[in-house]
Amino acid sequence: QVQLVESGGGLVQAGGSLRLSCVASGSSFIGAMAWHRQAPGKKRELVARITADGSPNYADSVKERFTISRDNAKNAVYLQMNTLKPEDAAVYYCHVVVWGHSYWGQGTQVTVSS
């Protein structure tokens, strides 16, 4: 069973930065890793995804502001969020795929004050 532990959320002023971390345990191999977010009253959406070999892709709304990266030795994925906007406020969820199975973290709250 794969478990995900997220950290790094919090309150930040608009224009500020946060770095989210997610560490996976329970498997020696982790496939694609991603961050999703869900704001109140909205559907969960993909923010950024990174393949096992390190190829990233981003939602248009966060391109040029967010950077996803991973450390395969630590089974970790990170999301560096810069120039945060009030519309980035949401619960951010880590998501990984391991041998075709999907796993989600518990979510970490990001609040952006204007």
Side-chain angles (χ1 to χ4, degrees):
Q1 182 74 10
V2 174
Q3 293 187 327
L4 304 176
V5 178
E6 299 152 342
S7 60
L11 171 65
V12 65
Q13 287 189 332
S17 299
L18 282 175
R19 186 177 188 243
L20 305 183
S21 300
C22 173
V23 178
S25 61
S27 176
S28 59
F29 173 78
I30 305 291
M33 307 179 86
W35 289 96
H36 296 246
R37 67 186 181 190
Q38 187 167 20
K42 294 188 176 182
K43 293 182 179 179
R44 190 172 297 190
E45 63 175 357
L46 175 66
V47 176
R49 180 179 180 272
I50 188 166
T51 62
D53 63 0
S55 297
N57 60 71
Y58 300 92
D60 288 343
S61 59
V62 306
K63 282 180 180 176
E64 308 301 328
R65 299 188 298 121
F66 291 11
T67 302
I68 190 170
S69 61
R70 64 188 288 165
D71 183 337
N72 290 335
K74 297 180 179 179
N75 279 348
V77 61
Y78 309 99
L79 187 68
Q80 178 66 44
M81 305 186 293
N82 298 329
T83 319
L84 282 159
K85 303 176 181 180
E87 52 264 42
D88 294 318
V91 177
Y92 283 70
Y93 296 92
C94 177
H95 175 252
V96 304
V97 176
V98 179
W99 300 117
H101 296 279
S102 181
Y103 298 92
W104 293 89
Q106 80 284 358
T108 185
Q109 178 72 50
V110 171
T111 304
V112 183
S113 63
S114 56

